[in-house]
């Protein structure tokens, strides 16, 4: 009897996971209602009678962004917040522009894997596994590279000329957490000092560059 009950539980759990994995939309589209403050793991659907072509259109990736930033890179996102028609579709894009020798600093996307296509330039890119191994490669125009979900990764322009990539994600809102900015913008001084083996005055000096989020 116990054996039958165990098998029954396994079967039910397996069926539930299979159902979740194969869940289908119950309507053609669910355009994000960005004006609605209520969120249930995402955006609620806009009234279908109010949907317009503009909900599915975004031209922000067409132009090169100004890269005169502290790191020499700029990310232009085309996610559900810019393109409401992406809601529930599980995909989004970004364009990343790099100044000569510019860097997209180490960061993670907690909700998505990423794949990039080099539009122009030469890049050194890579990610770090949970075992601490660096997987990195030099890329040229036309090359493709992927970064697994949740792993630390980066891209650096290794040329003296500008570079650009297009990135695609398997989430309508992949999220980005910059490691240095998150750590030095949020954690207490004593935690940082002990973690990085720094003096408190060194920590305070670094933290001046990263204002805490409110």
């Amino acid at each position: 009897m116990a054996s039958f009950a165990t098998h029954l539980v396994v079967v039910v759990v397996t069926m539930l996971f299979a159902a979740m994995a194969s869940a289908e939309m119950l309507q053609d589209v669910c355009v994000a209602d960005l004006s609605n403050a209520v969120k249930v793991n995402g955006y609620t659907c806009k009234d279908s009678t109010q949907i317009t072509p503009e909900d599915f259109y975004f031209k922000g990736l067409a132009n090169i962004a100004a890269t005169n930033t502290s790191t020499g890179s700029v990310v232009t996102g085309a996610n559900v917040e810019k393109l409401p028609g992406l809601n529930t579709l599980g995909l989004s894009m970004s364009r990343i522009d790099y100044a000569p020798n510019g860097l997209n600093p180490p960061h993670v996307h907690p909700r998505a894997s990423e794949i990039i296509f080099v539009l122009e330039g030469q890049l050194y890119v890579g990610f770090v596994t949970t075992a601490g191994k660096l997987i990195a490669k030099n890329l040229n125009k036309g090359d493709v590279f992927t970064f697994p979900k949740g792993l630390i990764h980066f891209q650096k322009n290794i040329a003296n000329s500008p570079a650009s990539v297009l990135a695609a994600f398997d989430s309508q809102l992949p999220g980005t957490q910059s490691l240095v900015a998150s750590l030095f913008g949020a954690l207490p001084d004593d935690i940082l000092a002990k973690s990085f083996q720094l003096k408190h005055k060194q920590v305070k000096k670094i933290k001046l560059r990263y204002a805490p989020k409110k």
Side-chain angles (χ1 to χ4, degrees):
M1 187 69 174
S3 178
F4 173 78
T6 301
H7 282 86
L8 182 60
V9 170
V10 171
V11 170
V12 171
V13 170
T14 302
M15 290 176 65
L16 286 173
F17 275 106
M20 288 188 289
S22 61
E24 296 183 1
M25 292 178 61
L26 302 179
Q27 53 205 17
D28 291 337
V29 295
C30 175
V31 173
D33 184 355
L34 302 180
S35 66
N36 191 340
V38 177
K39 294 183 181 179
V40 183
N41 194 28
Y43 290 96
T44 56
C45 301
K46 188 177 184 179
D47 185 335
S48 60
T49 63
Q50 302 300 314
I51 293 173
T52 71
E54 300 305 309
D55 291 322
F56 301 87
Y57 173 76
F58 179 69
K59 62 180 182 180
L61 305 188
N63 301 318
I64 299 174
T67 54
N68 55 339
T69 64
S70 60
T71 60
S73 73
V74 172
V75 179
T76 304
N79 55 42
V80 68
E81 295 177 338
K82 303 281 185 65
L83 193 55
L86 287 174
N87 197 37
T88 74
L89 298 186
L91 53 90
S92 60
M93 295 181 68
S94 288
R95 176 186 177 126
I96 312 170
D97 294 299
Y98 313 83
N101 300 304
L103 171 71
N104 189 11
H107 60 281
V108 299
H109 301 295
R111 299 185 288 274
S113 296
E114 175 183 4
I115 186 168
I116 62 170
F117 173 80
V118 182
L119 294 170
E120 198 66 52
Q122 297 175 301
L123 298 168
Y124 176 64
V125 308
F127 63 87
V128 180
T129 70
T130 55
K133 181 177 181 179
L134 174 64
I135 307 294
K137 190 171 180 62
N138 290 338
L139 302 184
N140 297 295
K141 181 178 179 178
D143 288 346
V144 171
F145 196 86
T146 187
F147 306 103
K149 177 180 178 179
L151 294 187
I152 301 167
H153 61 283
F154 65 90
Q155 305 105 31
K156 186 180 191 308
N157 185 357
I158 55 177
N160 293 318
S161 56
S164 299
V165 307
L166 278 181
F169 305 89
D170 60 343
S171 169
Q172 61 260 25
L173 195 62
T176 300
Q177 186 171 33
S178 174
L179 295 190
V180 177
S182 294
L183 293 173
F184 284 90
L187 295 184
D189 292 5
D190 59 331
I191 301 296
L192 292 167
K194 191 161 187 177
S195 297
F196 291 98
Q197 297 297 292
L198 297 172
K199 295 180 179 179
H200 280 266
K201 64 179 181 180
Q202 293 174 309
V203 170
K204 291 184 180 297
K205 185 175 181 180
I206 296 173
K207 292 187 79 170
L208 289 174
R209 305 174 194 171
Y210 303 100
K213 300 290 183 181
K214 295 183 180 180

